[in-house]
Amino acid sequence: MSDDRFEDFVRRAAQGYHRPPEVPREQMWARLAAARAERKLARASQPSPQQRWVRWGLAAAAVLAVGIGIGRAIGPRPTPRPSGMQMAEGPAGAGEQVPAAFEIAARDHLRHVETFLTVFQYEAREGLAVEETAGLARNLLMNTRLLMDSPAGRDVRMAALLDDVEVMLAQIASYADSPTPAELRLIDMGLEQRGLLLKLRAAVPAENSAFRAQGVL
Amino acid sequence: MDEREVMVRVRAGDAVAERQLYDAHVDRIYQLAYRLAGDDDLAQDFTQETFIRAFERIEGFRGEAAFGTWLYAIATTVILNGLRKVKRFRKREADLDDAAAIGASSSEADPDLKERLASAVDGLPLKYRTVFVMHDVEGYTHEEIGAALGVPPGTSKARLSRARARLREALAEFAGEWVS
């Protein structure tokens, strides 16, 4: 039984295997043009990474502002201290109740920080365009500092977390809007070393994340 | 017109040049897609997706290889990925409708040579079937197949040899046809 004979035989016999009809050139060209136009349209209606970041940042700032506003309206007001006069106070965090509105605002803020850092880390590692990061980090940093000075910052654990967040955001904010790969690596290392994302996720459970539910990630 | 000139015009967004490239390659791509899919709708879908991707990525084509080679690499990726998806989908359908699947298989109780060959080719693992169809049916060289699949030509030869061995085994009862 010759191999060559079998090869010839199978090659001839296989010509009928799924024999194609006449190529529907025009039909496919029309479909191709329509599909390309459709995809172009779909792409144009999607927000660019820049627009996505900006929208995200505005939402974060708005939620925090509302939270702090409510907190200030309904929370206990600090008693003015006469200057130079020492007040007897207990240890930080002991026996102090953080008003619910501040707590909610703090959690919302941490959720936004977690989302920001998660997206940032993912895009940095995937080599995707990381744009507008410094501006957003500055906004989040400002909100973080506001919270540190608010009653939310009296809670010892919250204060420690806000401290970590402040350092990380300050680092990101100090770079240009489009960090270099080396800068991205440094930021990524900082995130890993501090275990900040883990801490944030522990403080703000994922199932409560309104942002994820809205499909931001 | 020189293909390089056409490429320059395509990159500049010239629709006439796009159509020229399409006309030059569409037959071979559709035929390969049809041979592998055995279905006109799927073959059209795969061909369309191949050209969409090619036109989208044409900026990244640096001209180190022939445009055809680059395009067939896209085509085989699209076709093979598409077929894997279809296979998974059909398997789920078959799981849901066992009775129909048994009925279909029993109708091939006494196939003639063509049917047996078609069935044997269909039964080859996709990587062997692809090489067999490209080489023995569509006439691609091992170099072209290697470039399209991203494997060395030697791998293409080895796959073809395994595909033929399996076919020979499946067609053993027809041995008289090629021995005589």
Side-chain angles (χ1 to χ4, degrees):
Chain A
M1 213 185 294
S2 141
D3 278 351
D4 289 347
R5 279 189 183 179
F6 175 72
E7 283 169 22
D8 286 345
F9 162 78
V10 89
R11 203 175 286 149
R12 266 183 284 114
Q15 292 310 307
Y17 175 73
H18 294 169
R19 192 186 290 282
E22 197 180 330
V23 180
R25 282 185 172 199
E26 295 308 321
Q27 191 183 332
M28 282 195 294
W29 179 254
R31 280 182 57 184
L32 175 63
R36 288 179 75 194
E38 201 175 301
R39 287 189 195 187
K40 205 176 274 181
L41 204 66
R43 216 172 292 136
S45 64
Q46 271 176 355
S48 67
Q50 231 164 316
Q51 288 169 321
R52 185 160 47 91
W53 280 114
V54 169
R55 259 181 9 191
W56 184 89
L58 288 173
V63 170
L64 186 68
V66 169
I68 289 182
I70 293 171
R72 284 197 174 146
I74 64 173
R77 289 171 191 279
T79 316
R81 296 178 195 177
S83 61
M85 195 173 161
Q86 285 283 356
M87 296 282 287
E89 282 185 17
E96 289 204 51
Q97 284 279 316
V98 175
F102 280 105
E103 202 179 308
I104 292 166
R107 284 189 189 284
D108 269 338
H109 175 66
L110 293 178
R111 200 172 292 138
H112 295 136
V113 172
E114 190 243 321
T115 309
F116 169 76
L117 292 177
T118 303
V119 174
F120 175 83
Q121 191 181 47
Y122 170 77
E123 292 190 343
R125 286 181 180 181
E126 292 295 310
L128 303 171
V130 179
E131 290 169 339
E132 299 283 317
T133 48
L136 272 166
R138 274 193 291 275
N139 283 341
L140 288 169
L141 182 61
M142 189 180 71
N143 292 340
T144 304
R145 286 174 176 158
L146 273 172
L147 275 171
M148 289 168 86
D149 291 338
S150 80
R154 289 182 207 152
D155 179 273
V156 178
R157 276 181 303 177
M158 180 63 79
L161 188 54
L162 288 171
D163 271 347
D164 276 351
V165 167
E166 185 196 23
V167 173
M168 201 69 241
L169 291 174
Q171 190 183 354
I172 298 174
S174 68
Y175 293 124
D177 257 341
S178 297
T180 64
E183 289 169 342
L184 289 174
R185 267 198 304 280
L186 274 175
I187 297 169
D188 190 27
M189 274 168 56
L191 270 172
E192 287 300 313
Q193 279 165 5
R194 288 171 183 277
L196 187 53
L197 282 171
L198 284 176
K199 288 181 195 168
L200 284 167
R201 282 167 196 152
V204 188
E207 62 269 23
N208 294 335
S209 174
F211 253 60
R212 285 192 179 161
Q214 287 166 21
V216 166
L217 278 182
Chain B
M1 187 185 294
D2 179 38
E3 195 169 67
R4 259 176 291 179
E5 200 181 319
V6 177
M7 300 295 301
V8 171
R9 285 171 48 201
V10 169
R11 284 202 187 97
D14 183 338
V16 176
E18 282 183 351
R19 177 66 201 236
Q20 276 182 301
L21 271 187
Y22 171 83
D23 282 340
H25 297 279
V26 67
D27 289 5
R28 230 176 159 205
I29 287 174
Y30 173 81
Q31 281 161 359
L32 178 62
Y34 192 94
R35 293 276 195 190
L36 286 168
D39 178 281
D40 181 48
D41 286 338
L42 282 177
Q44 289 200 32
D45 284 348
F46 295 156
T47 308
Q48 175 186 310
E49 186 60 30
T50 298
F51 280 99
I52 287 178
R53 288 195 194 179
F55 289 142
E56 273 175 0
R57 299 175 187 176
I58 208 144
E59 289 296 332
F61 172 65
R62 291 192 294 272
E64 287 157 355
F67 176 74
T69 307
W70 181 75
L71 187 64
Y72 299 139
I74 294 177
T76 48
T77 303
V78 167
I79 295 167
L80 297 184
N81 286 342
L83 288 176
R84 284 187 194 108
K85 277 183 203 158
V86 170
K87 190 179 169 190
R88 279 199 295 272
F89 177 72
R90 285 186 181 157
K91 188 175 179 302
R92 276 203 296 274
E93 273 189 329
D95 289 345
L96 290 171
D97 194 5
D98 281 348
I102 291 163
S105 63
S106 65
S107 69
E108 292 175 12
D110 186 22
D112 67 5
L113 173 62
K114 275 187 187 170
E115 282 173 345
R116 180 64 70 86
L117 176 65
S119 162
V121 175
D122 283 342
L124 289 173
L126 189 54
K127 61 183 183 180
Y128 295 165
R129 188 158 70 93
T130 305
V131 173
F132 174 76
V133 166
M134 289 182 87
H135 188 275
D136 277 7
V137 184
E138 284 296 305
Y140 288 75
T141 63
H142 285 297
E143 283 69 27
E144 286 175 317
I145 298 170
L149 299 179
V151 297
T155 303
S156 170
K157 283 180 193 168
R159 288 181 185 175
L160 180 63
S161 166
R162 282 176 206 141
R164 283 178 180 160
R166 290 197 185 202
L167 292 178
R168 190 173 189 147
E169 208 176 293
L171 301 173
E173 67 185 85
F174 297 95
E177 301 267 348
W178 68 83
V179 172
S180 58

